[in-house]
Amino acid sequence: MSSSTSLYGVCFIDTSIGLFHLGQFEDDCHCSRLRTLCAHYPPVQVLFERNKLTVRTKKVIDTMLSSAVKDALIPDIEFWSSSKTLITLAEGDYFKNNDNVVYPEKLKTFLGSDSDLQLNANDESEFGIRSLGAVVWYLKRCKMDFQLLSRGRFDIYKPVDVESVELSNQDNINSKHMILDAITLKNLHILENSAGSNTGTLLNKLNHCSTPFGKRLLFQWLCNPLTTISSIEARQNAISSLIVIPDLIHEIRSELASLPDLERLFSRIYSQSSNGVESNHAETRAIYFEEKTYSKRKIIDFISILKGFRTSVHIMEKFQKADIKKESSESNLLTAICNYPNNSTPGVFPYLTELLDNFENSFDHDEAMKHGRIFPEPGMDDQYDRVLEKIKEVDVELKSYLKEQCKHFGCNVTYFGSDKKRYQLEVPDAASKRAGEGYELQNQRKGFKRFTTSRTKELLEKMMSYEQEKIDVLKDLRERVFSRFCDKFEEWNNAIQCLATLDVFMSLAEYCRCEEEVMCVPKFIPAIVGKKPLVDLVEGRYPCGSGGESFIPNDTIIGKEEDGTWNSSLILVTGPNMGGKSTLMRQLGIISIMAHMGCHVPAKSLVLNPIDRIFTRIGANDNIIAGESTFFVELCETSAILHHASRFSLVLVDELGRGTSTYDGTAIASAVVTELVQKQCRTLFSTHYHSLVEDFKANP
C-alpha cells in the first residue's frame, strides 16, 4: 500500500483436520502481524504470487520460514483472481445442496452482496479471496479439493491485536486474549529457544499432554492467553480440582495415551466416505491390485476411531462418578466438559453411547477386518436388506421348483453345479426317461444325468444378477457407513474438543503437582480508572530452569499502592553482567503468561491486573540475511512498543542502545523511558547507563 504499511490476504489450512483460516489485514512497516501469524501457525509450505511480493515481505518469508517449501504461482493462471475463485466454487459441487450453492456462513462474510450469485468479493476481502483461490488451485492439483472444501469448515482469521483496548469500571480489557507477537514469543523462549529446539521453553515445561490433539490445543493456549478474569479463574479452579486427585489423573492419562489422533483420524474417515469423494474422482475409477489390503486399512481406521470414542465415554463417566472437589466458581469447567447435557449439572460433552452402539452392533468387526469388507447386520442398511430379500425370494422359488421336479420324476432330484453352471437338475438314470422336450441334457455321471430347463436358466440369471447387486452394494457400503458416521460431525467434534481441553488441564495439573518448589494461584483484580495497573510478585522463580541449578527467588513489584502512594509503573534495573537482569525480565514475562493461561505459577504469591499485551526488547540480534543491523532491530522493536503499548501492557526492555555509541544510546534510552513513564504501562527497563539511573532516581 505504501512505504509504511502493507495489505495482506491470507488463507491457511491444516489438511489433516480440514479447517480453512481466511483473512485480510493491514500491517505496519515491520510486518509485525505477518510475523506473529507465522509464529502462531508455522507453515510447512507457502504459496505466493510470483513477482508480487514486496521486499520486506520477502525478507520475512526468507528469514522466518527458511525451512518451509515456497512456491511462486503464476498470477491469474495459478494464483486466481477473486472472481475466478468464486466462480470455481460456485460451479463445483463443494457447497451444493439440492442443486443450490450454499456457502458456509463464515465464508459469506467475505462475499459481496451486489448479486444473488455472490460471485464477487467485498471491498475489504479481495486479497483474502484471492489467497483462497491459490489454495484451491493447489488442492485441485493434489486431488484434495473436494474432500476438504465440501466439509465447509471455515474460520475468520483476525490478527490478535485488531480488537480495540478500552477501560471500564468493571474490567479493564475488552479483547479476550493477550497479544503475544512473534518477537515476544522468540525473546521469552515460549515455543522454541534461540537454537530452534524446544529445550528450556515454556511449551516443553508445561507439555505433559497425552494426546496429539491436546498438544495442539496447549500450543494455541500458549499463543493466546486469556485476559478475562472470570475465564482465568474458571481454569484455575479446574486445575486446582485435578491436583488433589493424582491417582485418578494417572489412570485417566494412561487411557488418554492409548487414544489415536481422533481429530486427524476423523478427517481420514471423511475423505473415504461418499461425502468426501467427488463422483468423477480418479479413486472411483481406480482398480486396486490389493483391494482387500487397502480396504482392511480403512476399516481398521474406522474401528480404531470407534474404540477411541468409546474410551472417551468411559473417561468422562469416570469423572462424573468421581468425587471431584468443586471450587466456588461461576462455572466449573470440569463439570462443563465432562458432564452430559441432560445431567443434573449439565455439561457439553455429547451423549455418544447410542451412536457408538449403533455403529458397533451394525456389523461384525472381526469379519470386516478379516475380509476387508463390511457385512452389515439386518436393519443396518436398506439397500443391502432389499438385495438379501430378493436373493431369498429366488432361493424360495428354486426350492419350490425343485419340489415340483421331484414330483415330476417321482424320485429325489438335486441341484448340481457352481457359479454359472449352477442349478442343473441331477436325475437318476432310471427316472431320466421322463425328461421331456423342455429338458436339455448338459452332462452325466455314472447312474445320473443332469438337465437344465428354461426355468432353471431364468432363476440362475436372476440369482447372478442379485448376487452382483449384493457385491456392488457391499462395495459402496463402507463409504455409506463412513458417511453416516461423518453426518454426526458436531457430536464427534464436540467430544474431541472436550477431551483436548481435559488433556490440557491434566497437563497443567501434572506440572503443578510435580514442581518441588512453592506454587501459588495468581490473584487477578480488575483495574480501576485513574489508578495504575500493578504487578506484585513475591519470591518468583524462573519457570523454565533445568531443575539442577540453585535459584534465588526474586520479588517484582510494579505500580502497587503502599502507604497511600502508588509505586512507579517503570523500574530501572541495573547491575553487573551475568547478574540476572535478563533472567528477571524473562521470569516476569513467562510467569505473567502462565498466570493468564490459568496455570499455577512458581512463586509465593502473585497479584496483578490483567495484561493486554507483552512487549520485549531483549538481546542483541542482528539479521544479516534481511540486511538488518543490531541497532536497526533495536529501533524497530522499540518503535513497535511506543506505537502499540497501552497502560495495561507489560514492557520488558533489556539494555536499549547497546547497538550504537554510548552518548546516542543514552539519549535514546532516556527518551524511551520518559515516553513509557507517561504511558503508565508496567515496565522493567535494564540498563548499564548509570547516568540514566541518576537522571530518573528521583522521578516519582
Side-chain angles (χ1 to χ4, degrees):
M1 291 178 63
S2 68
S3 59
S4 59
T5 60
S6 298
L7 186 63
Y8 293 107
V10 295
C11 177
F12 51 99
I13 177 176
D14 182 347
T15 56
S16 63
I17 60 176
L19 177 61
F20 289 82
H21 297 266
L22 190 62
Q24 179 171 313
F25 56 87
E26 187 177 341
D27 208 350
D28 58 25
C29 61
H30 309 302
C31 303
S32 302
R33 290 175 173 173
L34 181 62
R35 292 175 188 269
T36 302
L37 169 62
C38 295
H40 286 194
Y41 301 93
V44 295
Q45 186 169 8
V46 180
L47 308 176
F48 58 88
E49 196 169 6
R50 184 179 297 175
N51 300 326
K52 293 297 179 73
L53 291 184
T54 61
V55 175
R56 59 172 173 255
T57 303
K58 190 174 187 307
K59 286 180 180 180
V60 172
I61 293 176
D62 289 341
T63 53
M64 284 198 68
L65 308 176
S66 57
S67 60
V69 178
K70 304 173 187 67
D71 290 326
L73 305 187
I74 302 172
D76 294 329
I77 297 175
E78 296 174 342
F79 204 105
W80 294 342
S81 64
S82 60
S83 58
K84 184 176 181 179
T85 300
L86 294 175
I87 289 172
T88 302
L89 294 178
E91 292 178 347
D93 296 329
Y94 309 116
F95 309 125
K96 282 193 175 176
N97 185 9
N98 297 327
D99 294 330
N100 295 319
V101 178
V102 181
Y103 288 109
E105 287 300 321
K106 292 188 177 178
L107 180 57
K108 285 182 180 179
T109 61
F110 290 85
L111 307 181
S113 57
D114 55 347
S115 69
D116 295 335
L117 297 178
Q118 293 181 307
L119 298 181
N120 296 301
N122 61 44
D123 295 338
E124 294 78 24
S125 306
E126 175 76 17
F127 288 178
I129 295 296
R130 290 192 66 196
S131 62
L132 173 61
V135 172
V136 173
W137 173 84
Y138 191 81
L139 292 176
K140 286 177 73 71
R141 181 185 175 193
C142 299
K143 303 296 183 184
M144 296 174 65
D145 53 316
F146 186 81
Q147 73 181 58
L148 294 173
L149 285 167
S150 61
R151 296 184 66 180
R153 297 190 66 199
F154 283 82
D155 199 7
I156 301 173
Y157 174 77
K158 290 185 178 180
V160 289
D161 60 336
V162 164
E163 299 180 26
S164 61
V165 178
E166 297 178 0
L167 179 65
S168 70
N169 289 320
Q170 301 299 321
D171 210 336
N172 57 344
I173 300 170
N174 281 346
S175 58
K176 295 180 180 179
H177 300 284
M178 178 196 292
I179 300 169
L180 297 177
D181 58 27
I183 294 171
T184 298
L185 292 173
K186 176 184 176 183
N187 287 340
L188 296 182
H189 297 170
I190 304 300
L191 305 176
E192 62 180 33
N193 58 27
S194 54
S197 70
N198 66 354
T199 305
T201 62
L202 183 58
L203 175 62
N204 185 55
K205 192 70 175 179
L206 299 181
N207 186 10
H208 296 273
C209 293
S210 304
T211 64
F213 44 88
K215 293 176 182 177
R216 291 194 289 272
L217 182 61
L218 176 62
F219 185 95
Q220 290 304 316
W221 280 21
L222 278 169
C223 293
N224 301 281
L226 300 174
T227 58
T228 308
I229 294 178
S230 58
S231 300
I232 295 171
E233 290 176 343
R235 285 187 183 179
Q236 291 174 344
N237 294 336
I239 294 170
S240 298
S241 298
L242 291 172
I243 291 175
V244 298
I245 49 171
D247 293 339
L248 179 60
I249 294 302
H250 179 74
E251 181 182 345
I252 297 299
R253 291 185 70 221
S254 298
E255 292 191 48
L256 281 174
S258 67
L259 293 179
D261 191 340
L262 296 175
E263 196 170 26
R264 291 184 171 175
L265 194 54
F266 182 90
S267 293
R268 288 165 60 183
I269 298 297
Y270 180 85
S271 68
Q272 297 157 10
S273 70
S274 55
N275 292 339
V277 180
E278 200 171 7
S279 57
N280 62 349
H281 193 278
E283 186 176 356
T284 61
R285 305 187 301 272
I287 299 175
Y288 292 94
F289 180 70
E290 294 185 341
E291 168 65 26
K292 186 175 179 180
T293 303
Y294 178 72
S295 183
K296 274 184 183 180
R297 290 173 183 167
K298 292 184 175 182
I299 291 171
I300 288 172
D301 282 346
F302 184 60
I303 293 174
S304 176
I305 199 171
L306 290 178
K307 289 181 178 178
F309 280 117
R310 179 67 74 181
T311 301
S312 71
V313 171
H314 292 159
I315 289 171
M316 294 308 187
E317 289 181 347
K318 283 184 179 180
F319 269 103
Q320 293 173 20
K321 296 174 183 177
D323 183 21
I324 300 177
K325 178 184 177 183
K326 301 294 190 300
E327 299 286 343
S328 58
S329 166
E330 293 181 5
S331 62
N332 189 292
L333 280 182
L334 277 182
T335 301
I337 63 176
C338 296
N339 282 8
Y340 297 129
N342 58 355
N343 282 18
S344 57
T345 305
V348 296
F349 188 80
Y351 187 73
L352 302 178
T353 304
E354 283 187 13
L355 282 174
L356 292 171
D357 288 343
N358 183 22
F359 285 105
E360 289 175 351
N361 298 330
S362 58
F363 65 95
D364 189 321
H365 293 189
D366 294 333
E367 286 294 313
M369 287 192 290
K370 180 179 178 181
H371 298 287
R373 185 168 287 176
I374 292 177
F375 296 94
E377 298 292 339
M380 175 203 168
D381 186 79
D382 292 339
Q383 291 187 42
Y384 186 73
D385 289 343
R386 284 196 295 269
V387 172
L388 288 184
E389 187 63 32
K390 291 177 183 178
I391 292 174
K392 187 177 180 180
E393 289 174 1
V394 175
D395 196 50
V396 170
E397 292 183 49
L398 283 165
K399 289 178 180 178
S400 175
Y401 184 68
L402 187 61
K403 286 182 180 180
E404 293 177 10
Q405 296 306 306
C406 289
K407 186 182 291 187
H408 173 74
F409 286 102
C411 62
N412 184 36
V413 179
T414 59
Y415 285 129
F416 175 82
S418 60
D419 198 22
K420 295 182 180 180
K421 295 184 177 182
R422 282 176 287 173
Y423 310 134
Q424 299 177 33
L425 299 172
E426 190 172 70
V427 183
D429 276 341
S432 63
K433 296 177 182 179
R434 297 185 182 180
E437 186 177 328
Y439 293 84
E440 294 181 18
L441 179 65
Q442 297 296 319
N443 54 63
Q444 60 185 11
R445 68 181 178 93
K446 186 176 180 179
F448 294 91
K449 290 184 179 179
R450 296 165 183 155
F451 301 92
T452 59
T453 65
S454 59
R455 180 61 173 161
T456 60
K457 290 179 181 178
E458 178 189 349
L459 292 173
L460 174 60
E461 186 177 346
K462 288 174 68 175
M463 180 63 81
M464 291 182 65
S465 172
Y466 294 150
E467 286 174 345
Q468 183 59 47
E469 187 178 345
K470 177 184 174 183
I471 291 172
D472 294 339
V473 168
L474 286 175
K475 185 178 180 181
D476 298 335
L477 181 62
R478 185 187 66 235
E479 284 76 12
R480 292 202 303 278
V481 172
F482 288 1
S483 294
R484 284 177 48 213
F485 179 84
C486 295
D487 287 342
K488 301 295 181 180
F489 168 74
E490 290 299 328
E491 287 85 347
W492 306 126
N493 187 57
N494 288 343
I496 291 170
Q497 297 309 315
C498 289
L499 282 171
T501 305
L502 178 62
D503 192 19
V504 175
F505 279 147
M506 290 195 293
S507 175
L508 298 179
E510 184 70 9
Y511 159 74
C512 298
R513 190 181 64 82
C514 293
E515 285 296 300
E516 298 178 357
E517 302 295 337
V518 176
M519 303 288 289
C520 76
V521 179
K523 180 180 179 182
F524 285 85
I525 55 177
I528 302 173
V529 177
K531 293 188 177 182
K532 297 177 182 177
L534 65 89
V535 172
D536 183 3
L537 176 65
V538 179
E539 295 187 11
R541 298 181 308 281
Y542 185 65
C544 301
S546 61
E549 69 279 354
S550 58
F551 193 91
I552 301 174
N554 295 287
D555 295 352
T556 307
I557 302 172
I558 306 175
K560 183 181 179 183
E561 184 179 16
E562 293 180 357
D563 301 327
T565 60
W566 289 84
N567 288 330
S568 173
S569 59
L570 183 144
I571 294 179
L572 286 174
V573 183
T574 188
N577 289 324
M578 296 188 67
K581 299 186 298 298
S582 299
T583 303
L584 177 68
M585 292 184 170
R586 286 196 173 97
Q587 169 188 298
L588 179 60
I590 293 173
I591 286 178
S592 298
I593 293 172
M594 293 172 64
H596 284 74
M597 287 177 63
C599 185
H600 299 189
V601 299
K604 184 176 180 180
S605 68
L606 172 61
V607 179
L608 73 163
N609 301 125
I611 297 169
D612 69 343
R613 183 167 182 171
I614 296 180
F615 293 92
T616 59
R617 159 80 287 282
I618 298 175
N621 299 314
D622 57 5
N623 193 334
I624 298 175
I625 297 176
E628 298 173 350
S629 67
T630 300
F631 185 54
F632 180 81
V633 171
E634 278 190 331
L635 294 186
C636 287
E637 294 178 1
T638 305
S639 173
I641 294 172
L642 298 179
H643 276 92
H644 302 295
S646 72
R647 63 188 295 255
F648 308 112
S649 302
L650 174 64
V651 179
L652 308 172
V653 181
D654 186 22
E655 299 185 26
L656 178 64
R658 72 172 75 182
T660 186
S661 66
T662 302
Y663 292 112
D664 291 344
T666 303
I668 292 170
S670 178
V672 170
V673 168
T674 302
E675 181 68 19
L676 291 175
V677 168
Q678 292 176 356
K679 285 181 174 289
Q680 295 187 346
C681 50
R682 288 157 284 189
T683 306
L684 283 182
F685 193 107
S686 74
T687 182
H688 283 296
Y689 298 139
H690 297 293
S691 59
L692 190 67
V693 178
E694 291 297 324
D695 291 341
F696 285 94
K697 68 179 181 181
N699 191 312

